[in-house]
Amino acid sequence: MTLAFAMFATTSFAADDGIITKQSKYSVKETVEKFQAAVKQRESGGFIVFTEIDHAAAGKKFGIDMKPRTVIIFGNPKLGTPVMIKTPLLAIDVPPKALVWEDDQGKVWLSYNSPDYLYKTIYPRHGAEPPQNYAPFAKLLDEMTDQATK
């Protein structure tokens, strides 16, 4: 079962699963660095990188090899914190994350939840009120991920 899931995850992407995936022309390390730089360039607007999780490095500590898989947790505390104050369980699903990963063919990808998924699925899941207009956030995510991958 796990093998079947892993094969699916690296060879095809569902169009309506709420995840946006972009191929990167850079290595995983370079894509991670470029994405983090893109987020940090928007710090004056409140965006920060909270942390990164290197799944491959964690597995290696226990003798398990896998292709690079790095999650970058980022967000805007000025916008997200007030919502989490009202809706504490929202914090289990936010801040947003980006996954930079390498498939079995050596291609590098950057994946993240679409703003539609965040605001039409995640927010309602917790009873949080989504913003009326999240088009600027969607545009910003598109710009940051393009900056990291193109």
Side-chain angles (χ1 to χ4, degrees):
M1 176 79 159
T2 303
L3 180 59
F5 176 74
M7 289 175 61
F8 173 80
T10 60
T11 58
S12 69
F13 309 107
D16 61 352
D17 63 3
I19 297 175
I20 296 171
T21 296
K22 297 180 178 183
Q23 187 172 357
S24 178
K25 69 177 190 177
Y26 305 105
S27 69
V28 168
K29 182 180 180 199
E30 291 170 310
T31 304
V32 167
E33 289 170 355
K34 288 179 176 296
F35 183 74
Q36 289 183 355
V39 173
K40 290 174 184 175
Q41 285 176 356
R42 288 142 175 100
E43 191 171 333
S44 65
F47 282 87
I48 64 170
V49 172
F50 290 100
T51 194
E52 76 175 53
I53 301 167
D54 185 336
H55 288 292
K60 193 170 206 69
K61 285 185 180 185
F62 295 95
I64 304 167
D65 288 327
M66 71 183 296
K67 299 283 185 185
R69 307 277 190 275
T70 301
V71 173
I72 303 144
I73 302 172
F74 67 101
N76 187 326
K78 289 176 11 179
L79 299 175
T81 303
V83 180
M84 284 188 269
I85 289 170
K86 291 180 182 175
T87 316
L89 288 179
L90 183 63
I92 203 163
D93 287 317
V94 297
K97 295 165 264 319
L99 170 65
V100 181
W101 56 287
E102 182 181 313
D103 69 16
D104 292 339
Q105 291 73 44
K107 294 178 184 172
V108 175
W109 306 89
L110 188 151
S111 301
Y112 59 99
N113 283 328
S114 72
D116 279 345
Y117 183 78
L118 175 64
Y119 294 122
K120 293 181 179 178
T121 301
I122 297 296
Y123 267 55
R125 171 183 181 194
H126 300 290
E129 187 69 33
Q132 292 295 316
N133 178 14
Y134 55 86
F137 179 63
K139 183 177 186 269
L140 182 67
L141 276 177
D142 191 48
E143 290 170 359
M144 290 190 301
T145 55
D146 279 353
Q147 189 174 332
T149 59
K150 295 183 176 187

